[in-house]
Every structure is written in structure tokens, then in C-alpha cells.
Amino acid sequence: MKPRLLIIGATGFVGSNWARAAADAFDVWQGSRRPTDGSQSVVVDITDARSVRAAFDTARPQFVTLLAAMSDIDRAEREREVATAINHQGPIHVADACAASGARLLYTSTDAVFDGEQPPYRETDPPTPCNWYGQTKAMAEQAIAERLPSATIVRLSLVLGRSALPGGNSYLEKVAGNLAAGNDIISPTYEYRNPLDVRTLCHFLLELTQSEQAQGIVHTGAGDKISRYDLARAIAAGLNADERLIVAQQAPVPGRAPRGRDTHLATDRLRQLCQTPVPTCQQVVERALAG
Ligand SMILES: NC(=O)c1ccc[n+]([C@@H]2O[C@H](COP(=O)([O-])OP(=O)(O)OC[C@H]3O[C@@H](n4cnc5c(N)ncnc54)[C@H](OP(=O)(O)O)[C@@H]3O)[C@@H](O)[C@H]2O)c1
């Protein structure tokens, strides 16, 4: 019998892909605030500890992936209380439920826990968030590590791909939609990331979920880095769209939450823990567009 995995945030961009990818190895239960198709779906609001406990009582998971979050960085900056409830209190409720039931937790965090001033970043570097989203995720990491030292905390840079369900926080789909509509896409030339395509990410999630050694923080991403401007141009080229719609942004604009300049996550620990090869940025873009 396959072990039971509860994915919380299964309707989102990463979650909808992970639910499909995990199905060969796990008996997957999908959790989110809106019900999904199929019998193995559970409605859960992570801001409510009782709702989390009820979901655990129904699904009885041995493994849990916590993806649910307010993932919109600018919205989190504007709606700090709601962001704190979802991104900080929510993970505490889930970690408490894992501690009580003995389920093994994998939590997805972000490169936004770093301000981007001293790349590349290793797992041992202290968080230095420069926006509220990064702050809430750093607080969640700490709360999880205190409650559940065996948990895996996977930090993601930008994830590229398409949602397997409508909606979700996919950068690639936003860029593709704007290109198709003929809209300019203002892209910073000075922000560097090491993105990962969602399919390769799911290979890493599979290995990390099943690994006894993958405790604590693990950085993921491509082996090299790329500016947001060059990334948007590479996507436009891959889609045979008009690259002139990608407009270089040379400095931060008012009204947007601050972002780190270069949050490149070093992948040495990922390479030690996983057999899946770490791709280059070029491979990441190709896979994301093919996927
Ligand atoms: N996408 C990226 O490039 C990226 C980069 C770095 C880190 N991450 C991290 O990766 C994770 C997944 O990101 P994503 O891009 O897949 O996000 P997403 O598309 O915005 O999905 C978020 C999911 O969380 C659920 N959710 C939100 N509030 C909830 C609540 N109170 N209770 C239960 N479920 C709730 C949403 O479902 P409903 O609204 O239907 O409930 C949805 O399923 C997040 O933790 C994010 O911080 C993502």
C-alpha cells in the first residue's frame, strides 16, 4: 500500500502539479479552501487550527506537503494581518498537527527570506527579508524548526511552468498572457534569480519527501542565475512572441514591495541529497515552455 500524502495548497500552481507528480508514489489527498474533484479531497483553512486538525482526522496522512500561502508579494505587503495569519500562523497549526500525529512535514519557503545583498545564499545564512512576505515565511520556517526539527524546509526561487488547475500563481502564464495580449512586460535588469521549472521541482520534492536525511533547510533552483529581464526575453523568444514587449526596468518602482537584488540560492546541499540533476537556467526555461 502506498503511504498517504496530504498536500495542503493542492489547488495552487505548484500544488496542482505536485498532486499529479506524487500520485505514483503516494496515496494523495488534496487539501485547500476550495474542494477539488475526487473523493480524496479535504477542505482546510490553515488559519484555523480546528480546521487543520479536522483535515488530519479525515486524511490521516503519514506525509504532509504544506504549500498553502499568500504567495502574492505585493498583496502580502498591503494586507499584512491576513498574510501573517496565512503564512505564519497557518504553518504553526500544520506543524502542531504533524507533531501530534507523527506525520512527516515538507514545507515550501522562498528565496525572499533574503534581501539579495550577499549572494549566493547557503542554508546556514541567517534570513534578512526585505518585504513582509519574506518576513512571514522566515517566521514560519523558525516556528516549524522549533516544533518539528525533522521537517524539511524547501526554499524555492522563482518556479516556472503552468498550473494543472485554473488559477494559481504562475509567472510563466502571466507573461504568456501579456505577450498574447500585446502588453508591455516591465522586467528588472538588476534582479537575479535561479529559477526552477515545476516538473524538475516535483522530482526534487519526491526525493526530498522520501529522504530521511533531508531534514532542515534545503535550497533549490537552477545551478546558475539569470536576470528577470533576460528571463522574460527568453520566455518571449521560446513562445515566438515579440521580444520588444519586454521592457527593461532599471530601478525599483514606487508602490511595489521591495525585492532582493540577487537571491541566488546555492544548490550544494540539494546535489548531495538528490539524484535528480540540477539544471541550468536555459534548461529550466526550455522545460517550462515544453511542459
Ligand atoms: N510560485 C513561485 O514561483 C514560488 C516561489 C517561491 C516560493 N513559493 C512558495 O511555494 C508555495 C506554493 O506557491 P504557489 O505558487 O503554488 O502558490 P499559489 O498558486 O498562490 O497557491 C497557493 C495555494 O494555497 C491555498 N491557500 C491559500 N490560503 C489558504 C488557507 N488559508 N488555507 C488553506 N489553503 C490556502 C490556495 O488555495 P485556495 O485559495 O483555493 O484555498 C492555493 O491552493 C508557497 O508556499 C509559496 O510561498 C512559490
Side-chain angles (χ1 to χ4, degrees):
M1 237 174 42
K2 292 189 249 185
R4 200 173 283 193
L5 169 70
L6 172 61
I7 300 174
I8 305 178
T11 52
F13 161 46
V14 176
S16 59
N17 282 283
W18 174 226
R20 290 187 179 181
D24 281 346
F26 293 99
D27 178 21
V28 174
W29 279 68
Q30 304 192 40
S32 83
R33 288 177 298 189
R34 50 186 164 126
T36 47
D37 290 343
S39 56
Q40 308 218 129
S41 163
V42 60
V43 173
V44 56
D45 181 347
I46 60 170
T47 64
D48 177 353
R50 278 173 308 179
S51 168
V52 172
R53 283 197 294 272
F56 273 63
D57 287 345
T58 303
R60 301 199 166 279
Q62 290 140 289
F63 294 87
V64 174
T65 314
L66 175 56
L67 297 152
M70 182 190 279
S71 55
D72 181 328
I73 297 179
D74 294 311
R75 187 171 164 214
E77 200 74 15
R78 289 191 306 269
E79 300 176 27
R80 290 189 171 207
E81 272 184 37
V82 187
T84 305
I86 298 174
N87 292 356
H88 180 214
Q89 295 301 322
I92 289 175
H93 298 148
V94 174
D96 285 342
C98 287
S101 66
R104 179 161 154 62
L105 176 63
L106 184 149
Y107 166 68
T108 51
S109 188
T110 167
D111 61 350
V113 299
F114 297 118
D115 64 8
E117 292 304 315
Q118 288 188 302
Y121 288 98
R122 302 192 180 282
E123 287 83 352
T124 46
D125 290 328
T128 51
C130 63
N131 54 49
W132 192 247
Y133 168 73
Q135 178 70 42
T136 58
K137 299 291 279 190
M139 292 190 298
E141 288 183 356
Q142 192 183 340
I144 289 170
E146 284 167 8
R147 284 167 173 74
L148 215 57
S150 66
T152 307
I153 295 171
V154 179
R155 288 192 183 134
L156 314 174
S157 179
L158 192 56
V159 183
L160 297 182
R162 298 180 187 276
S163 290
L165 291 172
N169 169 42
S170 162
Y171 169 73
L172 175 68
E173 286 177 326
K174 284 176 202 154
V175 171
N178 277 313
L179 288 169
N183 297 331
D184 283 349
I185 300 164
I186 317 287
S187 302
T189 52
Y190 53 89
E191 281 180 16
Y192 286 82
R193 302 289 182 263
N194 58 327
L196 194 57
D197 60 286
V198 72
R199 197 186 306 168
T200 307
L201 171 62
C202 288
H203 288 303
F204 285 127
L205 291 179
L206 194 58
E207 289 200 62
L208 293 170
T209 301
Q210 293 172 321
S211 165
E212 290 286 325
Q213 277 74 49
Q215 301 190 358
I217 298 167
V218 183
H219 285 179
T220 61
D224 52 345
K225 62 185 173 184
I226 186 169
S227 75
R228 302 278 305 224
Y229 174 72
D230 287 336
L231 178 60
R233 283 186 66 98
I235 292 171
L239 292 171
N240 293 320
D242 185 354
E243 289 178 50
R244 288 171 302 178
L245 290 171
I246 311 299
V247 178
Q249 180 195 327
Q250 309 287 1
V253 287
R256 195 167 172 259
R259 261 77 166 175
R261 190 181 54 80
D262 181 348
T263 56
H264 185 188
L265 300 173
T267 52
D268 307 59
R269 185 164 193 232
L270 184 68
R271 289 172 205 266
Q272 283 165 10
L273 289 168
C274 296
Q275 301 201 333
T276 301
V278 171
T280 62
C281 287
Q282 190 182 337
Q283 289 172 320
V284 163
V285 172
E286 286 167 3
R287 290 176 193 179
L289 290 168

